[in-house]
Amino acid sequence: MSAIPDRKTNQPCGTPFGVSPERYQALDEQVETLLRQMTLEEKIGQMNQVAGSRDTTGAPANTEIEEDVRTGRVGSVFNAFGVEFTRELQQQAVGHSRLGIPLLFGYDIIHGFRTIFPIPLAQAASWHLEGIEQATRIMAVEGAAAGVHWTFAPMVDVARDPRWGRVMEGAGEDVLLTSLIARAQVRGIQGSDPDAVDTLAACVKHYAAYGAAEAGREYNTVDMSEWRLREHYLPPFRAALEEGCATVMTAFNTLNAIPATCHPLLLDQILRREWGFEGMVVTDYTAIMELEQHGVAADAAEAARKSVNAGVDMDMQSSYFIDTLSELVRCGQVNEARIDEAARRVLWLKAALGLFDDPYRYADEARETQCILTDEHRRAARTQACESMVLLKNEGFVLPLSDQHQKVALIGPLGNTPRLLGSWRADGDHDDTVTLREGIINRLGEDAVILCAQGVSNEIGDTDTSGIEDALELVRQADAVVLALGEDEAHADEAASRADIGLPGPQLELARRVLAEAGDTPVATVLFNGRPLTLTELDDMAPALLEAWWPGTEGGNAVADVLFGDVNPSGRLPMSFPVSVGQIPIYYNAFNTGRPKGVDPKYASQYLDIPNAPLYPFGFGLSYTTFEYGAIKSACTEIGLEDTLEVSLTVTNTGERDGIEVVQLYLQDVHASVVRPIRELRDFQRLSLAPGQSERVTFRITPEMRSFLNAGLERVQEPGLFRVQIGSSSASGEEIEFRVA
Ligand code: BGC
């Protein structure tokens, strides 16, 4: 594994799809010939993206789109999928527009097309990069088989505020984990060949800093130093582009008082000049139109001018480009060369995908029926769902439950529902989804009795507890209890911020009463949610907690696999779970401050009423087995600036089951010219160990891993003292020190 993405500026990030310079040039020449035949209006048409109907059967519902397509006023249609639908629309473009330029079909395929994998935050909890790449590969295969060319993924917004509902779409709070996952996702989506019919073009989003919205409130202001932007929020974008990600989507937010969709520093300076990105930039949905609401444009023309001049190539759904750009060119406010550049990038993408050779190459009924929701894809979704689950607590070894239990009370609003897919579920269908109830029946057999009661709802604000008594009656009859609690799919999504991130509705009351009633009967609590929750009270009373996130189409089977011990949980948290909302933003790689907790009892950076530490830290997760870490050995204690230091230690499975341990290496630069975090994840290894088995793990601490941005925003490394921590989470492990001379 490359431990840390290259974060140097002024180094080209590579070509879209990683094609060779020769191939890039050849496609460019093909495009240039076409461009010479195009009118200004046709070029602007390529820069216009409109929403299609999601209806996959029958002709396109929106006849206005068809008319615009025929007159060359549309370059791309999103929310367009299904072979029949896309073929008919493509015919309008290819058969009826003057130059017959094919359309580009985009769709949000975020964690599966029809076979839905766990939500991205859950996938990140697996820390299994090959598994993530494979899941992403499958979603591309399915999407491409349904006529889609381009997905708006990966979403790489680093997020330290779980109130923000879109944390479910990303990889959490850490820059390295997010960057490595971004790379894996781009590889999975794009494969190695852009015009292969089972791959898609990727779109890294939302550029940039969308995850830092103030107070976690959706679309809210972002204000941060350029240092923080470049050090913590941009590297995952850069990593995705180095991996060949073909396109970039702008974000809705402002960054330091300028909306990202017309941000010269982000779009022109960093993306184009420093990184040399040659691919296409699309806006987020109506983001150009929103420049008026932000208050930086008086009208459509000003909004279009600002965004196109900053470097936007395609307008998603505002229609401001198509409505105003030709006039702006005529009156000299936008240079025609800028239009040529933008249209060229759109056409280049179409050429790279092979659409000029065969505009229907992705529209194949046979593939559409054969490649979607196959048994193999379902198996992969089940495996990944198992790998994503995080065992948060297991007092008295309540888990795994014995399969001797034949009377299981399944209590709670998530026990018997297919709403386990999460948001951004593309064409995912609840009818395909295995509920937890079905999963337990599949596991225990038809003879087992599953006593099901919802007890209460998980609706925000609901206080109705009248169903609890019936649930308790079932608890009294059962020999094991599974409490299935959590959020609804709609609670963590776009435009789904929550100020209180506890269990919604009266679920805590249900848990309290069930746990009190159960006595000696084992109770396992399974959580389904799209963000870190505040679980402090639940943690106080529940002996066993399994975080299952939204596990996808095979969710119920996967949870049963883990509950009954067929699979040993190995997920590790990609985001801190706070004790209370008052700690937010909370993240493990914080600064020490000048008065850290523990030095002076009063004058310290601390709360009077709650601890500083989260309830469950970043990187944390238990297993049904135990692991022991030996002492860290280092080749030497002093190295030169350009040297790599090898450190190693032995990890042993000291329990009685096979298990997977994620061994995490954190580094602290103790004194530097700018303040460095108390620890930063710099590498990790996922080990599979049989009972009694030991493995020696070696990490190489390279100069790149020790580098950081100095006050002048240059990437440097400096001599001095470093601390290495290796352990099973950000809050545990052995430490050693070394010095760079
Ligand atoms: C979201 C994007 C998404 C786009 C198209 C927007 O509302 O922010 O992430 O790709 O819609 O569906």
Side-chain angles (χ1 to χ4, degrees):
M1 174 193 337
S2 125
I4 189 150
D6 182 0
R7 293 186 286 169
K8 289 189 196 87
T9 50
N10 293 319
Q11 296 278 333
C13 61
T15 56
F17 298 110
V19 296
S20 66
E22 296 73 36
R23 177 91 185 119
Y24 182 86
Q25 197 56 36
L27 290 167
D28 210 37
E29 278 158 22
Q30 182 184 352
V31 164
E32 209 52 50
T33 313
L34 180 59
L35 206 60
R36 278 197 290 273
Q37 302 165 46
M38 293 170 76
T39 63
L40 176 64
E41 280 70 22
E42 282 168 334
K43 290 176 200 167
I44 295 168
Q46 289 303 309
M47 299 164 67
N48 187 31
Q49 187 188 48
V50 298
S53 154
R54 283 176 168 230
D55 189 0
T56 46
T57 52
N62 189 342
T63 46
E64 253 173 53
I65 295 185
E66 285 194 69
E67 179 56 24
D68 283 346
V69 167
R70 281 197 294 267
T71 50
R73 288 164 56 82
V74 175
S76 171
V77 181
F78 71 105
N79 286 351
F81 61 93
V83 166
E84 192 184 341
F85 177 81
T86 53
R87 175 176 292 119
E88 284 189 29
L89 209 47
Q90 195 67 297
Q91 268 160 6
Q92 304 297 323
V94 175
H96 300 281
S97 68
R98 188 178 78 89
L99 292 170
I101 299 174
L103 291 168
L104 181 68
F105 294 121
Y107 190 36
D108 290 285
I109 305 175
I110 307 296
H111 54 114
F113 174 74
R114 178 72 183 263
T115 309
I116 302 301
F117 286 79
I119 56 168
L121 187 65
Q123 296 193 24
S126 75
W127 296 53
H128 187 196
L129 301 174
E130 295 79 16
I132 292 171
E133 182 173 338
Q134 198 208 352
T136 321
R137 180 88 273 280
I138 290 173
M139 80 186 202
V141 166
E142 292 197 356
V148 179
H149 306 139
W150 180 29
T151 177
F152 305 124
M155 188 276 215
V156 302
D157 297 313
V158 167
R160 297 164 163 182
D161 191 331
R163 291 171 296 187
W164 190 47
R166 297 195 83 166
V167 301
M168 59 76 58
E169 267 178 85
E173 73 189 40
D174 183 58
V175 63
L176 173 68
L177 190 59
T178 305
S179 300
L180 292 172
I181 289 175
R183 287 177 184 271
Q185 289 171 312
V186 171
R187 287 195 298 272
I189 293 167
Q190 297 194 158
S192 52
D193 185 3
D195 68 357
V197 290
D198 62 353
T199 59
L200 301 171
C203 181
V204 66
K205 69 186 187 186
H206 306 83
Y207 188 71
Y210 185 31
E214 282 179 1
R217 203 183 75 215
E218 181 67 299
Y219 314 131
N220 204 6
T221 307
V222 175
D223 202 312
M224 67 169 67
S225 68
E226 192 175 331
W227 181 87
R228 177 165 277 192
L229 173 75
R230 288 178 182 265
E231 185 79 342
H232 292 147
Y233 287 82
L234 293 187
F237 289 92
R238 168 81 198 192
L241 298 180
E242 284 177 8
E243 209 60 46
C245 184
T247 68
V248 172
M249 183 186 290
T250 67
F252 285 130
N253 53 284
T254 56
L255 172 68
N256 304 341
I258 312 256
T261 295
C262 63
H263 208 295
L265 173 73
L266 284 176
L267 296 170
D268 187 51
Q269 174 62 27
I270 297 178
L271 189 62
R272 299 301 186 190
R273 291 175 202 271
E274 293 181 19
W275 296 355
F277 177 60
E278 294 290 353
M280 190 242 279
V281 174
V282 64
T283 69
D284 204 343
Y285 194 103
T286 64
I288 298 181
M289 184 187 284
E290 290 163 30
L291 298 185
E292 291 174 83
Q293 290 288 357
H294 277 299
V296 294
D299 53 25
E302 191 176 8
R305 174 176 60 76
K306 285 197 162 172
S307 52
V308 80
N309 285 344
V312 167
D313 301 314
M314 184 179 276
D315 169 2
M316 182 190 281
Q317 195 62 13
S318 287
S319 79
Y320 278 15
F321 277 3
I322 196 81
D323 291 344
T324 68
L325 277 187
S326 50
E327 185 52 31
L328 286 170
V329 171
R330 263 176 224 115
C331 67
Q333 291 195 41
V334 172
N335 203 322
E336 188 161 357
R338 175 75 266 276
I339 305 294
D340 286 350
E341 181 183 64
R344 187 184 292 116
R345 289 192 183 122
V346 178
L347 295 170
W348 189 94
L349 180 60
K350 294 181 178 183
L353 291 167
L355 294 177
F356 288 114
D357 304 331
D358 175 6
Y360 304 104
R361 58 190 301 134
Y362 293 80
D364 176 334
E365 275 86 2
R367 266 208 317 276
E368 189 174 42
T369 39
Q370 286 155 18
C371 299
I372 294 179
L373 201 70
T374 63
D375 288 349
E376 187 197 336
H377 294 179
R378 292 191 82 122
R379 270 196 300 279
R382 180 168 176 169
T383 302
Q384 199 191 35
C386 289
E387 291 178 350
S388 307
M389 281 178 230
V390 184
L391 184 62
L392 297 174
K393 188 174 176 191
N394 197 16
E395 215 173 71
F397 301 102
V398 168
L399 285 170
L401 296 173
S402 150
D403 51 13
Q404 300 309 309
H405 295 302
Q406 284 295 306
K407 227 177 190 188
V408 177
L410 177 56
I411 310 294
L414 275 301
N416 193 16
T417 173
R419 293 181 67 78
L420 305 181
L421 300 180
S423 54
W424 295 107
R425 52 185 172 270
D427 200 28
D429 192 336
H430 289 118
D431 288 346
D432 303 329
T433 307
V434 182
T435 65
L436 179 53
R437 180 174 178 276
E438 288 161 351
I440 296 177
I441 293 173
N442 292 342
R443 176 61 179 75
L444 295 184
E446 291 293 338
D447 292 344
V449 179
I450 314 298
L451 306 164
C452 249
Q454 194 178 314
V456 297
S457 87
N458 59 351
E459 278 167 43
I460 293 174
D462 186 12
T463 54
D464 182 2
T465 53
S466 59
I468 294 184
E469 271 311 322
D470 289 350
L472 297 183
E473 182 48 40
L474 302 187
V475 169
R476 287 190 278 274
Q477 296 169 34
D479 52 20
V481 180
V482 176
L483 254 176
L485 309 177
E487 298 184 289
D488 180 66
E489 290 174 325
H491 291 159
D493 192 357
E494 181 176 351
S497 296
R498 292 179 62 206
D500 171 356
I501 54 169
L503 288 168
Q507 294 183 87
L508 204 55
E509 176 64 12
L510 174 71
R512 187 174 294 120
R513 307 247 322 255
V514 166
L515 284 156
E517 190 67 44
D520 290 339
T521 311
V523 182
T525 304
V526 185
L527 296 161
F528 299 91
N529 45 283
R531 57 156 63 78
L533 300 174
T534 44
L535 297 172
T536 310
E537 286 155 295
L538 186 66
D539 176 87
D540 272 349
M541 59 189 173
L545 290 172
L546 179 67
E547 175 55 78
W549 315 102
W550 283 311
T553 306
E554 283 289 323
N557 282 333
V559 174
D561 287 340
V562 174
L563 280 181
F564 293 96
D566 300 332
V567 173
N568 188 352
S570 58
R572 302 290 182 265
L573 294 179
M575 271 186 98
S576 313
F577 274 46
V579 165
S580 133
V581 168
Q583 294 177 318
I584 297 171
I586 185 165
Y587 48 98
Y588 81 94
N589 48 347
F591 288 165
N592 203 28
T593 80
R595 294 184 177 188
K597 192 174 166 118
V599 179
D600 182 282
K602 176 167 171 56
Y603 293 100
S605 178
Q606 64 190 358
Y607 301 100
L608 294 180
D609 48 355
I610 53 169
N612 285 3
L615 181 63
Y616 306 119
F618 174 83
F620 172 76
L622 301 170
S623 165
Y624 294 156
T625 187
T626 44
F627 298 98
E628 212 175 84
Y629 283 63
I632 305 175
K633 299 231 166 69
S634 150
C636 51
T637 52
E638 189 164 316
I639 56 169
L641 266 185
E642 298 308 318
D643 294 343
T644 290
L645 179 69
E646 267 194 11
V647 293
S648 63
L649 86 175
T650 301
V651 180
T652 307
N653 179 346
T654 48
E656 279 157 21
R657 284 170 181 269
D658 291 349
I660 290 172
E661 174 69 332
V662 181
V663 184
Q664 302 160 40
L665 178 136
Y666 297 86
L667 206 59
Q668 180 188 11
D669 186 345
V670 184
H671 309 115
S673 61
V674 294
V675 176
R676 308 292 300 127
I678 40 178
R679 63 182 65 82
E680 281 183 301
L681 182 72
R682 283 298 188 235
D683 204 352
F684 60 87
Q685 290 185 32
R686 206 167 163 270
L687 296 185
S688 183
L689 295 175
Q693 192 187 344
S694 292
E695 198 166 312
R696 187 127 201 106
V697 187
T698 303
F699 292 103
R700 304 180 74 244
I701 302 174
T702 62
E704 176 64 28
M705 287 184 192
R706 304 190 298 265
S707 73
F708 60 91
L709 287 187
N710 67 12
L713 303 179
E714 296 150 336
R715 181 148 296 281
V716 295
Q717 57 145 335
E718 293 174 356
L721 184 66
F722 286 79
R723 227 165 255 148
V724 186
Q725 173 194 321
I726 304 179
S728 60
S729 83
S730 60
S732 66
E734 291 277 312
E735 270 187 15
I736 58 158
E737 292 182 347
F738 69 94
R739 200 165 267 289
V740 175

